[in-house]
Amino acid sequence: MKRYLYLLLIATGGLLVSCDSEKVDDVDFDVTISNNLKEIYVEDDVTFEFSGNPAYIVFYSGESGHEYAYKDRLRVDVESMRFSYTITQQYTDDIFQNKETMQIYISEDFNGDYTSEGMNKATWTKLSGTGEGELKVPLCDNKRKEEVSESADFSIYKDKKFYLGIRYKTTVPASGWPRVDVTSMNLEKVIPGGTVPMTNPSKGFGFNFVYLDSKDGNFWADDVKLLFQPKSDNEGTYDVWAVSQQIDVAAVAPDMGVPVKSLDMKSPSYTYNYTEPGEYKVTFVALNANAWNTKSVMKEMKVVVKERID
């Protein structure tokens, strides 16, 4: 809490200077729900009214990511994990049909060096193929377009740190290359209290592209997909990897509260609304502090939010 308070004091411009660096007033604080609401529904404004003398108040809504009980949590126990995706390959000429243009790999010893040298030093285990239990990829069996969706149990990796590699590889010089879109990626972990997805190729998985052969064309990751689209008139070959950042599914960011009062935020109340029904443990932490000392009081209450039925 002291580390969080120090950051809060800086953010609010409230580093205090006092003639008596040891003196901090005791905290007199209470909180109630305005109008003593008995029925609270999704999207209702819930106003929490404050009394007392705190200089700072931090609010934890009780929702996932904002639970006071997990404010210091950095790791979780992962019960299970699944990896799912859709790969669409199109514009596939005869020379590329019945071939595995796309491949999926995993590495536990890649060092984050996104260069050909770094890739070659790492051990990459191939997960995709045509065998039983291997992840499916398009083969375009005598056709120009194929879409493959797959979901697989990844629980074997739930306690490990690893990198995912999505590889576009051709060995025959040609022109008129297949285009491949990798969409609907989701690395979903089950932890106590619910499920947590990872779905964003750019910001979540953090894919970087590594070119072991030609790089002419469009190769990028955005918030929705990975795109592999070689330049149509390039008559070389391609070996392009999209490699994730290191994935450690047991690592989590500590839950955060929201500062709702500071020295420059004079407010006798705070209004919030919940977007999902459920039972929430709401926590307010009220503090008086200077740069050397802190005194605090915590108040908790249960808020039950119901789905409105028209």
Side-chain angles (χ1 to χ4, degrees), residues 16 63 84 116 158 165 176 184 270 285 299 306:
L16 306 180
E63 297 164 294
S84 58
S116 58
K158 66 185 179 67
S184 304
Y270 179 68
V285 180
K299 297 289 184 179
K306 300 179 180 179

Short mmCIF file of all heavy atoms in Angstrom, two decimals, residues 16 63 84 116 158 165 176 184 270 285 299 306:
data_model
loop_
_atom_site.label_atom_id
_atom_site.label_comp_id
_atom_site.label_asym_id
_atom_site.label_seq_id
_atom_site.Cartn_x
_atom_site.Cartn_y
_atom_site.Cartn_z
N LEU A 16 3.65 15.92 0.27
CA LEU A 16 3.41 16.86 1.35
C LEU A 16 4.71 17.24 2.05
O LEU A 16 5.59 16.41 2.26
CB LEU A 16 2.46 16.23 2.37
CG LEU A 16 1.13 15.70 1.78
CD1 LEU A 16 0.31 15.10 2.90
CD2 LEU A 16 0.38 16.82 1.09
N GLU A 63 -14.90 -5.95 -9.09
CA GLU A 63 -14.90 -6.64 -10.37
C GLU A 63 -13.53 -7.25 -10.64
O GLU A 63 -12.54 -6.89 -10.01
CB GLU A 63 -15.27 -5.66 -11.49
CG GLU A 63 -16.67 -5.08 -11.36
CD GLU A 63 -16.87 -3.85 -12.22
OE1 GLU A 63 -16.21 -2.82 -11.94
OE2 GLU A 63 -17.67 -3.92 -13.17
N SER A 84 -6.94 -21.60 -29.29
CA SER A 84 -7.82 -21.76 -30.44
C SER A 84 -7.51 -20.69 -31.48
O SER A 84 -6.96 -19.63 -31.16
CB SER A 84 -9.30 -21.68 -30.02
OG SER A 84 -9.59 -20.45 -29.39
N SER A 116 17.33 -13.86 -37.51
CA SER A 116 17.57 -15.22 -38.00
C SER A 116 18.53 -15.97 -37.07
O SER A 116 18.35 -17.17 -36.81
CB SER A 116 18.12 -15.17 -39.42
OG SER A 116 19.32 -14.40 -39.48
N LYS A 158 0.76 -24.71 -18.95
CA LYS A 158 0.18 -23.71 -18.06
C LYS A 158 1.14 -23.22 -16.98
O LYS A 158 0.97 -22.12 -16.45
CB LYS A 158 -1.10 -24.25 -17.41
CG LYS A 158 -0.92 -25.40 -16.45
CD LYS A 158 -2.27 -25.92 -15.96
CE LYS A 158 -2.14 -27.11 -15.01
NZ LYS A 158 -1.52 -26.73 -13.73
N GLY A 165 5.19 -19.59 -32.33
CA GLY A 165 5.66 -19.19 -33.65
C GLY A 165 4.68 -19.65 -34.72
O GLY A 165 4.34 -20.84 -34.78
N GLY A 176 2.34 -15.46 -57.58
CA GLY A 176 0.95 -15.69 -57.24
C GLY A 176 0.81 -16.50 -55.97
O GLY A 176 0.28 -17.60 -55.94
N SER A 184 -9.15 -14.95 -34.84
CA SER A 184 -9.85 -15.59 -33.70
C SER A 184 -8.88 -16.33 -32.78
O SER A 184 -9.27 -17.32 -32.15
CB SER A 184 -10.93 -16.56 -34.21
OG SER A 184 -11.84 -15.90 -35.05
N TYR A 270 -18.93 9.39 -4.64
CA TYR A 270 -18.41 8.82 -5.89
C TYR A 270 -19.51 7.96 -6.49
O TYR A 270 -20.14 7.15 -5.78
CB TYR A 270 -17.17 7.97 -5.63
CG TYR A 270 -16.60 7.35 -6.87
CD1 TYR A 270 -16.02 8.11 -7.87
CD2 TYR A 270 -16.66 5.95 -7.05
CE1 TYR A 270 -15.49 7.53 -9.01
CE2 TYR A 270 -16.13 5.37 -8.19
CZ TYR A 270 -15.55 6.16 -9.17
OH TYR A 270 -15.03 5.59 -10.30
N VAL A 285 -10.45 2.38 0.57
CA VAL A 285 -9.31 2.60 1.45
C VAL A 285 -9.13 4.10 1.60
O VAL A 285 -8.90 4.81 0.61
CB VAL A 285 -8.03 1.96 0.90
CG1 VAL A 285 -6.87 2.21 1.86
CG2 VAL A 285 -8.23 0.47 0.68
N LYS A 299 -12.91 0.21 4.46
CA LYS A 299 -14.32 -0.08 4.62
C LYS A 299 -14.75 -1.00 3.47
O LYS A 299 -14.44 -0.75 2.30
CB LYS A 299 -15.17 1.19 4.59
CG LYS A 299 -14.88 2.17 5.72
CD LYS A 299 -15.39 1.66 7.06
CE LYS A 299 -15.19 2.69 8.16
NZ LYS A 299 -15.71 2.22 9.48
N LYS A 306 -28.33 -6.78 -10.02
CA LYS A 306 -29.26 -7.70 -10.68
C LYS A 306 -29.44 -7.31 -12.16
O LYS A 306 -29.25 -6.15 -12.53
CB LYS A 306 -30.62 -7.67 -9.97
CG LYS A 306 -30.56 -8.09 -8.51
CD LYS A 306 -31.93 -8.02 -7.87
CE LYS A 306 -31.90 -8.43 -6.40
NZ LYS A 306 -33.23 -8.33 -5.77
#
